[in-house]
Amino acid sequence: VQLVESGGGLVQPGGSLTLSCATSGFEFNRYGVQWYRQGPGTQREMVAGIGTVRNIQYADSVKGRFTVSRDRTKNTVTLQMNNLNPEDTAVYYCKVVISGISYWGRGTRVTVSS
């Protein structure tokens, strides 16, 4: 199982970024995938999750600003992030749970700063 995040970077407040999670090594269409983030000095928190039948969840802090989607042809999950603010600064990870085991990517860093 492999998950590889990409798309992070430096963006100004109010800006947008699109993160991608490329997956391999498992049957993508059978599992939900979640996005987490860990900011400086904070615990890792879930920001969005997408199941296998379009069931989607968002953390309250990102509702209306972030959109998660999955591409079954490319086995990728995308996190579109709009209207970013400094509190969104974090390393963003994607995760999949298979047979009770959590698999994580290495993360991609997002910095929101002027």
Side-chain angles (χ1 to χ4, degrees):
V1 175
Q2 192 170 21
L3 301 97
V4 179
E5 303 92 338
S6 62
L10 173 63
V11 63
Q12 292 187 341
S16 298
L17 279 176
T18 301
L19 306 184
S20 291
C21 173
T23 74
S24 61
F26 65 99
E27 293 183 66
F28 179 75
N29 291 337
R30 290 186 59 193
Y31 297 96
V33 176
Q34 297 82 42
W35 281 98
Y36 282 73
R37 68 184 179 187
Q38 186 165 17
T42 67
Q43 290 189 332
R44 198 170 292 190
E45 61 173 352
M46 193 187 85
V47 295
I50 184 165
T52 58
V53 195
R54 290 189 168 274
N55 42 321
I56 292 174
Q57 294 178 308
Y58 296 102
D60 288 344
S61 59
V62 307
K63 281 181 181 176
R65 301 188 298 122
F66 289 14
T67 302
V68 64
S69 60
R70 62 192 296 158
D71 185 332
R72 299 176 186 278
T73 65
K74 297 180 180 179
N75 290 357
T76 60
V77 176
T78 298
L79 185 67
Q80 174 66 44
M81 308 187 297
N82 298 326
N83 194 21
L84 287 161
N85 57 62
E87 289 71 37
D88 296 315
T89 294
V91 178
Y92 285 71
Y93 303 88
C94 54
K95 184 189 89 169
V96 64
V97 179
I98 301 172
S99 299
I101 300 172
S102 294
Y103 296 88
W104 296 86
R106 292 187 175 182
T108 185
R109 184 175 299 277
V110 172
T111 302
V112 184
S113 174
S114 56

